[in-house]
Amino acid sequence: ADVSGKGVTGALVMSICRRLFRAQAPGCLSPARALCAINRALSEDRYEDMFIRVLYGILDQRNFRLTMARAGHLKPLLIAGTPATAATVESGGLALGISDPETFEAALEETSISLNPGDTFIAYTDGVTEAVNPDGEEWGLNALRQTALAATAGSPAADRLEGIKRKLLHFVGDTTHPADDMTLVILRRKPGD
């Protein structure tokens, strides 16, 4: 999840959202249904210019199936196949707290993907793709995609994460404070699993 804005108001809105997730998620195996309930609760107390982008997924570890819904969050990447390709996982959705429940629910799509042996799923916030170097250039989705593909040849998820992080921080350079928070999550099914 990624809340708009910074400071105390953003932290409060994220805290409220987290509390609502903890109330809705247990026992609910539909990410879309949980997000709709959370948005209904948030829409009762809308905050001016505040919204939360969320990617919510549930992994069925027995069948290696990931079911997800994307409430305005950036499209995740799935690295799969031989040779490996990196494709975005498509699904629609508006950010939480930005619209009335009917509009939100009409836009939200739940999707499922199978994770085959060796597949890698990558979720990230805009702080990763919009990171800028000292010349003001953005790192971008293409750089993330190319770096992730280069890092996928047999590496465990933790090594891939470190490789992407190292490349991104090298690109950003010596800036002590990034312009935005950076969150990167990697889920990988082991080859031969």
Side-chain angles (χ1 to χ4, degrees):
D2 193 9
V3 67
S4 65
K6 310 239 184 296
V8 174
T9 306
L12 287 172
V13 171
M14 185 57 86
S15 178
I16 292 166
C17 185
R18 184 173 182 224
R19 180 181 49 81
L20 291 169
F21 261 100
R22 287 179 178 231
Q24 292 299 322
C28 182
L29 296 179
S30 168
R33 195 166 42 245
L35 287 173
C36 287
I38 292 165
N39 187 68
R40 278 192 295 277
L42 284 173
S43 68
E44 293 173 8
D45 296 315
R46 280 212 191 129
Y47 299 91
E48 183 91 18
D49 298 325
M50 295 299 294
F51 55 89
I52 304 164
R53 295 184 206 144
V54 176
L55 174 65
Y56 181 37
I58 298 173
L59 177 64
D60 174 350
Q61 292 179 315
R62 196 170 317 139
N63 298 309
F64 299 101
R65 189 143 190 85
L66 182 63
T67 302
M68 73 193 89
R70 209 174 49 80
H73 202 280
L74 299 174
K75 296 174 184 174
L77 294 174
L78 178 63
I79 299 175
T82 306
T85 59
T88 54
V89 179
E90 300 293 326
S91 65
L94 300 172
L96 291 170
I98 205 166
S99 67
D100 62 86
E102 295 77 22
T103 303
F104 179 86
E105 291 168 19
L108 190 64
E109 296 174 5
E110 187 171 278
T111 189
S112 291
I113 59 170
S114 292
L115 294 172
N116 297 311
D119 287 357
T120 301
F121 176 83
I122 301 175
Y124 54 93
T125 59
D126 59 358
V128 172
T129 53
E130 294 175 5
V132 293
N133 68 11
D135 296 329
E137 301 167 321
E138 279 190 1
W139 199 50
L141 178 59
N142 194 47
L144 172 60
R145 187 179 306 213
Q146 295 306 316
T147 303
L149 279 169
T152 57
S155 304
D159 292 350
R160 292 177 187 185
L161 181 67
E162 281 304 310
I164 293 169
K165 180 180 160 187
R166 205 170 23 256
K167 187 88 167 183
L168 174 59
L169 293 178
H170 178 75
F171 174 82
V172 171
D174 289 334
T175 56
T176 55
H177 297 2
D180 198 359
D181 59 290
M182 298 179 192
T183 303
L184 184 65
V185 177
I186 296 180
L187 176 66
R188 180 172 183 258
R189 182 172 175 191
K190 293 178 187 176
D193 191 7

